[in-house]
Amino acid sequence: MKHKIHWVAVSLSNKKFSKKKTLLHKIAVRNMKYTKSIAALTLLASTLSAPIVTAQSSDPAFKADVPESILTPDEVETRLGTLRFKDGAPDAETVKLAYDNLDFMRGVTAFLDAMPAASIHSICRGYEDVGMGPQSVGIFENLMDARSVFLTPNSTTVYVSKCYDLEDGPIVVEVPAGVLGPMDDAYFRFITDFGVTGPDEGEGGKYLFVPPGYEGELPEDGYFVFHSPSYTTMQLIRAFVGEDGIEATVQRVKDTMRVYPWEQRGNPPKTEFVNLSGKKINTVHANDFNFYEEINAVI
């Protein structure tokens, strides 16, 4: 510090600066304690006045290798129209198109996923429309013809069909000998077969269908017991026509098939049969917006 003060004094020794010399000398001495601050400010000023040099690197240390395939272009031509983006963010119209498409895809998914449930619902509704109730079974006594709308019927089989509601408890189905066909749940999922491919092996027998969550007492023998994952179930069996003809086959079904609540097994109500032959009945789900109304009813 002494050297700096001496340098100031020497530089001001010229006579023509004699007046300034005395004044600056006094300032230097008096403000000795501020010298460090002045030096620091001088260094800062010289730094700011110097040209700014920015280090440039062709390969920054923290730069990712971003594949072109994951970048979002400014515009994309799609089946929805032109989608526009700025720095990867969609504009308002693109957002609308995307959400509309998402709604559409969800609608398609709902349609595809719900078709089995809609089909069961339509079959059961069709039976209700022709007067079938809890104690009635539909039978095509004179076979099926074009007036009935089913998915995959034929006109050479005695169909015996019914929808069941297990909400009030288990239901007994006494199946006649010589039949073939399934019992499905409300989503058209297989529960069991009756007859030749079922546990009765074509000899007939008593089936007991139990609803979800049922905690009551169940028999240990005498019944083929099945638990349904849904309250609604649908039976569609075929009665094999023997050498004695269709009429005798129909009569055997009427004489031996019974349906009734488990709670009324001691005194079961009479089973009624509704001849479905010749009736105009639709059992196929809708293919327009009414489909979603049907699914709403299912739910």
Side-chain angles (χ1 to χ4, degrees):
M1 188 64 67
K2 291 181 179 179
H3 292 298
K4 290 183 179 181
I5 296 172
H6 177 72
W7 178 83
V8 172
V10 172
S11 64
L12 296 176
S13 61
N14 192 299
K15 292 181 179 181
K16 64 179 180 180
F17 297 111
S18 59
K19 293 183 179 180
K20 295 180 179 179
K21 169 184 174 183
T22 303
L23 178 61
L24 290 174
H25 182 268
K26 291 181 179 180
I27 292 174
V29 173
R30 188 174 57 199
N31 296 317
M32 184 75 69
K33 61 181 179 179
Y34 299 115
T35 304
K36 292 183 179 180
S37 297
I38 294 171
L41 291 172
T42 302
L43 177 62
L44 175 61
S46 63
T47 302
L48 293 176
S49 62
I52 297 175
V53 179
T54 303
Q56 299 291 335
S57 174
S58 59
D59 188 17
F62 297 99
K63 180 180 182 299
D65 293 328
V66 182
E68 289 290 334
S69 60
I70 71 172
L71 297 177
T72 303
D74 294 337
E75 288 190 0
V76 183
E77 296 297 333
T78 74
R79 65 181 182 83
L80 307 178
T82 302
L83 306 183
R84 295 181 173 85
F85 302 86
K86 181 178 181 180
D87 296 331
D91 64 13
E93 181 61 24
T94 296
V95 170
K96 182 179 183 303
L97 286 173
Y99 275 114
D100 286 347
N101 186 57
L102 184 60
D103 289 341
F104 179 81
M105 290 191 298
R106 286 174 173 167
V108 172
T109 299
F111 190 95
L112 295 175
D113 288 350
M115 283 178 68
S119 189
I120 289 289
H121 171 73
S122 298
I123 291 171
C124 296
R125 185 181 60 186
Y127 292 160
E128 291 176 0
D129 290 343
V130 293
M132 290 176 57
Q135 287 304 123
S136 59
V137 176
I139 184 170
F140 285 86
E141 297 184 19
N142 310 113
L143 305 181
M144 189 181 293
D145 58 35
R147 285 171 288 190
S148 297
V149 181
F150 279 75
L151 284 175
T152 57
N154 64 60
S155 58
T156 61
T157 298
V158 176
Y159 288 105
V160 183
S161 188
K162 175 175 176 57
C163 288
Y164 298 86
D165 185 356
L166 306 179
E167 190 167 4
D168 293 329
I171 288 178
V172 178
V173 181
E174 295 186 13
V175 178
V179 300
L180 171 68
M183 176 75 91
D184 295 320
D185 75 354
Y187 196 67
F188 235 131
R189 292 172 297 197
F190 176 78
I191 297 176
T192 186
D193 269 337
F194 299 108
V196 177
T197 56
D200 69 276
E201 299 181 346
E203 299 299 321
K206 294 181 179 180
Y207 288 73
L208 181 61
F209 294 96
V210 183
Y214 181 77
E215 298 179 353
E217 185 178 353
L218 296 173
E220 295 183 0
D221 53 34
Y223 295 82
F224 302 112
V225 181
F226 293 91
H227 293 261
S228 172
S230 64
Y231 290 123
T232 297
T233 65
M234 191 275 295
Q235 156 217 311
L236 181 62
I237 60 178
R238 304 176 180 186
F240 297 119
V241 178
E243 294 182 356
D244 50 359
I246 294 175
E247 186 175 342
T249 300
V250 169
Q251 193 59 50
R252 279 194 297 274
V253 171
K254 290 184 175 181
D255 290 343
T256 57
M257 184 171 184
R258 297 288 181 268
V259 296
Y260 50 86
W262 168 246
E263 292 183 351
Q264 299 181 40
R265 60 192 179 279
N267 184 27
K270 180 182 179 181
T271 299
E272 301 175 349
F273 289 88
V274 177
N275 183 8
L276 300 180
S277 293
K279 292 186 180 296
K280 292 186 176 182
I281 173 175
N282 174 50
T283 65
V284 178
H285 64 73
N287 282 311
D288 56 12
F289 187 78
N290 287 320
F291 174 89
Y292 297 97
E293 300 289 354
E294 293 170 351
I295 293 305
N296 185 59
V298 170
I299 294 171

